[in-house]
Amino acid sequence: MKVYTKTGDKGQTGLYTGERVDKDSVRVEAYGMVDEADSALGMARAIAVNPEVKTTIYDLQKLLWSLMADVASVGAEPRITGKEVQQLEVLIDKFDAELPPLTSFLVPGDTASSAALDIARTVTRRAERQLWRLSRQEELSGEGLVFLNRLSDLCFVLARVEINGK
């Protein structure tokens, strides 16, 4: 099988559910930004020093594949539900409980791995904003929006874990 298909040479692409849309549609931009968040998390995972952070990031990346499929689908049952949002909240609480209280703003860049997680956090927030744009134009599961919001919070907490060397 060849990598190139030539089906997008005229500015359209296929959604997961088969519909053809313009490559610059809000929907394609939205799942493209989720893909960027996945890649940013991959970079963070590659340089993270805490094994538990590495494993957590890997699991998050797999969840982002489900979110991308949700955004690239029209009329399909969502894969990201309240259950996955709750999983992120449990992780946030677990890691946050192991950290000292936050007493000041953090400037990104204390360690390479925390800086990578800060980039992942900001890319995730950008993806969330794009999904909000999409939700105002087309039908979209609200849980994906909440999921990205919690994911950015988790990236912040994981960056603190990496800074604290836990």
Side-chain angles (χ1 to χ4, degrees), residues 4 9 13 28 41 51 66 68 79 82 91 111 132 134 136 159:
Y4 56 90
D9 290 352
T13 190
V28 174
L41 281 169
S66 294
M68 279 187 279
R79 293 159 184 83
L91 287 168
T111 67
W132 275 109
L134 174 61
R136 289 186 176 92

Side-chain angles (χ1 to χ4, degrees), residues 42-90:
M43 176 64 77
R45 181 171 55 91
I47 58 180
V49 294
N50 182 308
E52 192 174 7
V53 169
K54 280 183 176 284
T55 300
T56 299
I57 293 172
Y58 182 77
D59 293 340
L60 294 171
Q61 288 181 276
K62 290 190 288 184
L63 288 172
L64 283 177
W65 299 341
S66 294
L67 180 58
M68 279 187 279
D70 285 352
V71 179
S73 299
V74 175
E77 192 70 28
R79 293 159 184 83
I80 297 296
T81 66
K83 175 185 165 208
E84 287 77 19
V85 171
Q86 186 177 23
Q87 288 173 348
L88 296 187
E89 291 171 350
V90 167

Side-chain angles (χ1 to χ4, degrees), residues 1 3-4 11 16 19 21 24 32 43 50-51 57-58 61 63 66 83 92 102 107-108 115 139 147 149 162 166:
M1 183 171 158
V3 172
Y4 56 90
Y16 195 66
E19 299 84 359
V21 296
D24 62 351
M43 176 64 77
N50 182 308
I57 293 172
Y58 182 77
Q61 288 181 276
L63 288 172
S66 294
K83 175 185 165 208
I92 291 166
L102 190 60
V107 177
E139 189 175 326
F147 179 86
N149 185 277
E162 285 290 310
K166 299 256 181 202

Side-chain angles (χ1 to χ4, degrees), residues 69-132:
D70 285 352
V71 179
S73 299
V74 175
E77 192 70 28
R79 293 159 184 83
I80 297 296
T81 66
K83 175 185 165 208
E84 287 77 19
V85 171
Q86 186 177 23
Q87 288 173 348
L88 296 187
E89 291 171 350
V90 167
L91 287 168
I92 291 166
D93 293 343
K94 174 197 170 304
F95 282 110
D96 193 49
E98 300 169 1
L99 293 167
L102 190 60
T103 59
S104 63
F105 286 104
L106 299 178
V107 177
D110 284 349
T111 67
S113 57
S114 70
L117 280 157
D118 281 319
I119 290 170
R121 174 184 53 81
T122 60
V123 171
T124 299
R125 289 220 188 269
R126 183 164 32 107
E128 178 190 3
R129 291 189 301 271
Q130 187 66 16
L131 260 68
W132 275 109

